[in-house]
Amino acid sequence: MRPEFEYGSEVRLIRNVRNDGTYPGREVGELLIRRGAVGCVYDVGTYLQDQLIYRVHFLKENRTVGCRGEELIPADVEWLPNNFEFRDQVQTTRPLSVNGEIIADLGEHGEIVKVVRESHTAFHYHVRFRARTFQLPESVLEEVEP
């Protein structure tokens, strides 16, 4: 096993990191660092002798967490941030239809079920409307107005 990132490498987190029970003082499942955050690798270790774990300090968040290699990319690689996360409430910016059937009216509320990243610069959402889930681009969604 050779590390992909060296000490001092600036990296970007591409997945949300939640407490798996190993981060003291935080609830299990609590969001620790949001995807897109940039940090600096300052240690590389192993877990169960078969996984490299990078200890990354995220300066803006003032937090250090352990990350697996597949959760990181070099900080200078192009990255497109997503505006919504799992369970966010959204509304449509236009009426949506499938094969002529209206699945959501203009301004209809839905819920993000999943964020699906195809690459660092391409993603879509699984959104639930009317007890059905659809794959949609961010361009047809906006934050629900309070």
Side-chain angles (χ1 to χ4, degrees):
M1 280 188 308
R2 300 185 134 249
E4 183 178 349
F5 304 104
E6 299 295 327
Y7 303 106
S9 298
E10 282 196 349
V11 293
R12 181 179 311 276
L13 189 63
I14 62 170
R15 295 182 186 154
N16 288 336
V17 172
R18 296 183 178 279
N19 186 9
D20 61 2
T22 59
Y23 197 93
R26 301 290 178 164
E27 295 293 321
V28 172
E30 183 177 340
L31 181 66
L32 297 175
I33 302 289
R34 187 171 296 282
R35 77 179 98 207
V38 174
C40 185
V41 173
Y42 75 91
D43 193 16
V44 181
T46 59
Y47 177 70
L48 297 177
Q49 299 179 359
D50 68 347
Q51 294 180 47
L52 286 176
I53 303 296
Y54 298 91
R55 191 162 36 162
V56 181
H57 180 74
F58 295 91
L59 188 59
K60 183 177 174 187
E61 294 80 2
N62 193 26
R63 186 166 290 155
T64 300
V65 297
C67 302
R68 293 172 290 144
E70 62 265 19
E71 297 173 322
L72 303 169
I73 59 173
D76 59 356
V77 168
E78 184 179 5
W79 167 260
L80 183 62
N82 49 292
N83 288 325
F84 307 113
E85 298 290 342
F86 173 64
R87 292 193 175 157
D88 280 354
Q89 298 298 306
V90 293
Q91 62 189 14
T92 58
T93 60
R94 63 185 79 148
L96 304 175
S97 66
V98 174
N99 297 325
E101 175 194 353
I102 298 291
I103 60 166
D105 295 314
L106 170 66
E108 187 160 335
H109 291 199
E111 182 178 63
I112 302 294
V113 176
K114 186 174 188 177
V115 180
V116 181
R117 280 205 170 265
E118 298 158 12
S119 69
H120 307 309
T121 58
F123 61 89
H124 59 270
Y125 300 98
H126 291 181
V127 185
R128 193 162 214 36
F129 294 103
R130 303 181 186 179
R132 292 171 62 193
T133 302
F134 299 94
Q135 178 177 304
L136 299 171
E138 191 169 85
S139 62
V140 300
L141 303 169
E142 65 185 7
E143 188 176 347
V144 171
E145 303 278 329

